[in-house]
């Protein structure tokens, strides 16, 4: 339930109690949550499997020598963050959705190892997702500077500076996630389990204590200040600020692309077709990166809006944000997996490099086909030179 994009905010028993006592006007959302939860695990593992393989393809292709550029370096580490998100979410979806014990509530488990994994997942998923968001912001910033300032932009947006920015983002996010690591904890719940044979209930002596592990949230005593700090970090730095930055950068990139298009048309009208084609290729690359940014914006904007509403009033968090948590998760997972499709459909260089790396069995020249070129020749007829064209 919004584990990819949020912390384990409450105990699972509290979450289920809130869903059971929802307001009448949000009962439709509660019903949707319960029904979709039965399918969420299956959808998630399909997306995770595809996304894991697709991001491996992205990493291999983008690290080829002919693909090394500042933007591709950022895209490589974006693929790394997305790949680890998929790898981490896959066992979570299997155990806590598909193979969940029917008598346990959400996020409860009987295995101590699974509880340790759940705490790791609650922190690592937030780390990877936050790194991916800020890498996307860095990507859009680099591209905008190169387009809007064509003279000095490429001089500042170098591969070396891209690596420095990536290191700063990863280091900063790790530090900002420390409060989240501190407040997440676990506890044990003892349940009396009665053995039943047919319609006869056995005597009380056969009752066994069933140990169930549950998530917990440190928010008392000295942890009050850490709790407040973590909520502010999650809401402002990982949600609201990225949404605002992505929205602004989207507008700036669209404006820059329109400006570049008008320059391209002006060059073509002047007969400078070679420069016009070069600008056209840059514009197509910018369009691909713009698609990446817009998809991130479409994924993060609903969460940013719900976060702001939840900060204003807890009602929205309990009755709206929590029931939509699984939907927000699957949206984020799809966004993490779709980049390979964007690169393949919008970048000829990516397609050619992918084919050269993974489709070695495909012949470069199909049998029975020959490359043909047009040769111009001049012949003299009745004292006049006539130009003819032939194919060889």
């Amino acid at each position: 339930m919004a584990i990819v994009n949020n912390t384990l905010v409450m105990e699972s028993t509290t979450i289920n109690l809130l869903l059971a006592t929802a307001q009448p006007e949000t009962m439709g959302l509660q019903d949707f949550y319960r029904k979709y939860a039965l399918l969420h695990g299956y959808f998630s593992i399909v997306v995770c499997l595809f996304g894991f393989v697709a991001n491996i393809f992205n990493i291999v292709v983008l690290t080829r020598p002919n693909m090394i550029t500042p933007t591709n370096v950022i895209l490589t580490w974006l693929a790394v963050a997305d790949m680890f998100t998929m790898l981490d979410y896959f066992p979570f979806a299997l155990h806590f959705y598909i193979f969940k014990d029917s008598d346990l509530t959400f996020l409860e488990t009987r295995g101590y190892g699974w509880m340790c994994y759940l705490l790791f997942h609650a922190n690592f998923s937030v780390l990877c997702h936050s790194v991916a968001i800020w890498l996307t912001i860095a990507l859009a910033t680099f591209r905008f500077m190169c387009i809007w300032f064509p003279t000095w932009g490429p001089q500042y947006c170098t591969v070396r500076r891209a690596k420095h920015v990536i290191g700063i983002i990863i280091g900063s996010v790790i530090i900002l996630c420390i409060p989240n690591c501190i407040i997440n904890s676990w506890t044990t719940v003892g349940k009396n389990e009665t053995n039943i044979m047919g319609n006869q209930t056995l005597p009380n002596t056969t009752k066994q204590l069933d140990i169930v592990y549950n998530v917990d949230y440190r928010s008392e005593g000295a942890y009050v200040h850490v709790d407040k700090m973590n909520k502010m970090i999650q809401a402002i730095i990982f949600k609201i600020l990225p949404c605002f930055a992505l929205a602004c950068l989207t507008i700036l990139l669209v404006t820059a692309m329109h400006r570049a298009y008008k320059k391209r048309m002006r060059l073509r009208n002047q007969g400078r077709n070679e420069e016009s084609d070069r600008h056209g290729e840059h514009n197509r690359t910018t369009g691909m990166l713009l698609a990446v940014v817009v998809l991130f914006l479409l994924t993060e904007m609903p969460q940013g809006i719900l976060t702001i509403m939840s900060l204003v009033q807890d009602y929205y968090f309990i009755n709206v944000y929590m029931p939509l948590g699984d939907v927000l998760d699957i949206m984020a997972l799809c966004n993490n997996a779709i980049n390979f499709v964007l690169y393949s459909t919008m970048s000829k260089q990516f397609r050619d490099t992918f084919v050269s790396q993974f489709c070695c069995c495909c012949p470069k020249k199909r049998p029975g086909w020959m490359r043909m070129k047009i040769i111009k020749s001049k012949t003299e007829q009745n004292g006049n030179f006539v130009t003819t064209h032939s194919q060889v």
Side-chain angles (χ1 to χ4, degrees):
M1 180 173 302
I3 300 299
V4 167
N5 308 303
N6 206 344
T7 58
L8 294 175
V9 185
M10 300 179 180
E11 298 182 43
S12 60
T13 53
T14 306
I15 294 174
N16 285 273
L17 178 61
L18 291 173
L19 293 177
T21 59
Q23 298 297 321
E25 59 269 21
T26 60
M27 286 302 296
L29 279 179
Q30 316 306 327
D31 294 337
F32 170 78
Y33 157 71
R34 294 186 182 92
K35 293 177 181 178
Y36 177 73
L38 301 175
L39 303 174
H40 178 71
Y42 299 97
F43 290 157
S44 298
I45 61 172
V46 172
V47 175
C48 287
L49 288 174
F50 172 79
F52 180 73
V53 176
N55 281 295
I56 290 179
F57 286 155
N58 290 340
I59 295 170
V60 173
V61 173
L62 293 172
T63 52
R64 296 308 91 192
N66 65 309
M67 298 290 288
I68 300 299
T69 63
T71 54
N72 284 351
V73 170
I74 299 176
L75 287 176
T76 301
W77 282 94
L78 178 61
V80 171
D82 292 342
M83 181 188 68
F84 278 118
T85 299
M86 301 289 179
L87 188 63
D88 172 65
Y89 200 90
F90 184 80
F92 170 76
L94 280 178
H95 182 75
F96 291 97
Y97 282 91
I98 297 178
F99 300 127
K100 184 179 77 70
D101 293 338
S102 58
D103 61 325
L104 297 181
T105 56
F106 182 67
L107 298 182
E108 285 187 340
T109 181
R110 290 185 170 89
Y112 175 76
W114 281 109
M115 179 49 58
C116 294
Y117 158 75
L118 181 60
L119 293 178
F120 167 79
H121 167 73
N123 298 299
F124 187 70
S125 59
V126 173
L127 172 66
C128 292
H129 188 72
S130 302
V131 167
I133 293 175
W134 283 101
L135 285 179
T136 305
I137 294 174
L139 174 70
T141 304
F142 266 59
R143 194 61 188 176
F144 172 76
M145 291 178 63
C146 290
I147 297 176
W148 199 261
F149 308 102
T151 303
W152 59 266
Q155 299 178 0
Y156 283 89
C157 299
T158 60
V159 172
R160 181 181 178 184
R161 283 194 172 91
K163 293 179 179 178
H164 289 167
V165 170
I166 293 168
I168 292 172
I169 289 175
I170 295 176
S172 301
V173 172
I174 290 175
I175 294 174
L176 292 173
C177 284
I178 291 177
N180 189 49
C181 299
I182 294 175
I183 61 173
N184 285 324
S185 181
W186 59 273
T187 185
T188 57
V189 179
K191 295 185 178 181
N192 287 329
E193 190 176 69
T194 305
N195 295 324
I196 301 177
M197 297 181 61
N199 296 325
Q200 300 294 324
T201 301
L202 297 183
N204 293 336
T205 55
T206 62
K207 289 184 178 181
Q208 298 176 352
L209 187 63
D210 186 19
I211 302 298
V212 174
Y213 298 92
N214 200 350
V215 293
D216 198 6
Y217 188 73
R218 299 188 181 105
S219 58
E220 299 178 354
Y223 293 106
V224 173
H225 303 291
V226 181
D227 179 30
K228 292 181 180 179
M229 181 188 302
N230 180 62
K231 289 180 178 178
M232 294 299 294
I233 291 174
Q234 296 291 326
I236 298 177
I237 300 181
F238 292 163
K239 288 290 183 294
I240 300 174
L241 186 58
C243 288
F244 178 77
L246 287 173
C248 293
L249 287 169
T250 299
I251 297 173
L252 291 175
L253 281 175
V254 171
T255 305
M257 286 184 64
H258 182 65
R259 179 183 178 184
Y261 175 78
K262 291 195 295 185
K263 182 178 181 179
R264 180 190 175 194
M265 291 298 100
R266 189 165 58 250
L267 291 172
R268 177 165 293 182
N269 292 334
Q270 296 173 358
R272 299 157 66 179
N273 293 329
E274 185 176 346
E275 290 185 56
S276 175
D277 293 340
R278 187 166 59 250
H279 279 277
E281 182 64 29
H282 290 322
N283 229 22
R284 284 190 291 271
T285 302
T286 305
M288 180 191 72
L289 300 179
L290 178 62
V292 175
V293 175
V294 169
L295 283 178
F296 251 99
L297 179 61
L298 293 177
T299 303
E300 298 301 319
M301 185 62 72
Q303 299 175 44
I305 295 174
L306 289 176
T307 300
I308 295 175
M309 295 170 63
S310 300
L311 289 176
V312 175
Q313 191 173 358
D314 290 339
Y315 168 86
Y316 295 105
F317 177 80
I318 297 171
N319 294 282
V320 180
Y321 192 94
M322 294 306 298
L324 293 177
D326 289 342
V327 176
L328 298 177
D329 272 1
I330 198 65
M331 288 175 58
L333 291 174
C334 290
N335 178 55
N336 294 340
I338 201 66
N339 286 344
F340 173 76
V341 178
L342 292 178
Y343 305 157
S344 300
T345 55
M346 303 183 68
S347 174
K348 183 178 183 301
Q349 185 183 17
F350 184 92
R351 288 195 303 270
D352 293 342
T353 307
F354 176 81
V355 170
S356 65
Q357 294 296 318
F358 296 101
C359 303
C360 300
C361 57
C362 298
K364 295 183 180 180
K365 296 182 180 180
R366 296 183 179 180
W369 291 80
M370 295 186 301
R371 293 186 177 182
M372 306 180 70
K373 61 181 179 179
I374 298 176
I375 296 180
K376 295 181 180 181
S377 61
K378 292 183 177 182
T379 58
E380 185 177 357
Q381 296 181 1
N382 300 326
N384 298 322
F385 287 97
V386 179
T387 301
T388 60
H389 299 81
S390 59
Q391 293 182 341
V392 297

